[in-house]
Amino acid sequence: VQGIKVRVIDTPGLLPSWSDQRHNEKILHSVKRFIKKSPPDIVLYLDRLDTQSRDFSDMPLLRTITDIFGPSIWFNAIVGLTHAASAPPDGPNGTPSSYDMFVTQRSHVVQQAIRQAAGDMRLMNPISLVENHSACRIDTSGQRVLPNGQVWKPHLLLLSFASKILAEANALLKLQDSPPEKHYTARTRVPPLPYLLSTLLQSRPQLKLPEEQFS
């Protein structure tokens, strides 16, 4: 990717319901055995932007991931929201929501679910939007452009590379608040740092949810 060799460990077929967790455990234990030799620099957790549920339906899966790899799995995780060119749903008054608010609301739900699964309310995993549909708008260089004007692929790559550099620097400076979890052998860092990085890379201010605007 951009001249840099990247190894991807995919985990296809993970399912969200409680009844599917035994199936998920088999896949994740296989991944855990593999990464003992090659710890990942970045964890990319993918979910859909256009999922409307707010009931934390993915919590069984998130808890399974946490139980197998330890809470530190989330410390260098980036949340990728796929189907990012989806049209925003209608708001309470029947008019379409803005795209930025659509992204903010969905990001909030996923981030909150991860915090609960990890048992660490400090976590603010950075968000990266992803869209590969053939109908997505393309710029003159052939890159897919999201409804907010963002060219998503360079942003995800920059966030990934910068996260790795930040993790390396943090490990060197020994800024961790606590020792890494025994379950997970990858490099860890202070939980707020990924969110700080994501904030620095944002092309525009992140919207607040209505209930947060007066807090």
Side-chain angles (χ1 to χ4, degrees), residues 8 41 45 51 65 87-88 120-121 136 155 163 172 176 189:
V8 178
D41 295 302
Y45 176 76
T51 298
I65 294 172
D120 190 339
M121 300 310 291
C136 183
H155 181 270
S163 294
L172 182 64
Q176 285 87 351
R189 60 176 180 269

Side-chain angles (χ1 to χ4, degrees), residues 51-171:
T51 298
Q52 298 300 311
S53 174
R54 295 191 178 190
D55 59 1
F56 297 154
S57 58
D58 287 337
M59 186 58 68
L61 172 58
L62 295 174
R63 291 197 185 281
T64 298
I65 294 172
T66 305
D67 290 343
I68 291 176
F69 296 104
S72 60
I73 186 72
W74 301 111
F75 290 177
N76 64 336
I78 297 170
V79 175
L81 295 179
T82 65
H83 298 73
S86 301
D90 290 342
N93 58 359
T95 59
S97 303
S98 71
Y99 181 80
D100 287 339
M101 181 56 70
F102 177 38
V103 171
T104 297
Q105 290 175 335
R106 181 61 182 147
S107 300
H108 178 79
V109 170
V110 177
Q111 288 172 329
Q112 183 67 15
I114 291 175
R115 286 188 212 111
Q116 290 193 17
D120 190 339
M121 300 310 291
R122 299 174 300 166
L123 278 172
M124 288 291 286
N125 296 93
I127 301 291
S128 186
L129 302 175
V130 178
E131 179 58 85
N132 283 316
H133 197 281
S134 58
C136 183
R137 184 162 59 96
I138 297 177
D139 66 10
T140 55
S141 64
Q143 297 278 5
R144 287 189 167 87
V145 182
L146 301 178
N148 62 355
Q150 183 186 87
V151 181
W152 71 265
K153 190 175 293 183
H155 181 270
L156 175 57
L157 291 174
L158 177 60
L159 186 58
S160 299
F161 296 150
S163 294
K164 172 176 168 54
I165 294 170
L166 184 59
E168 296 283 357
N170 186 60

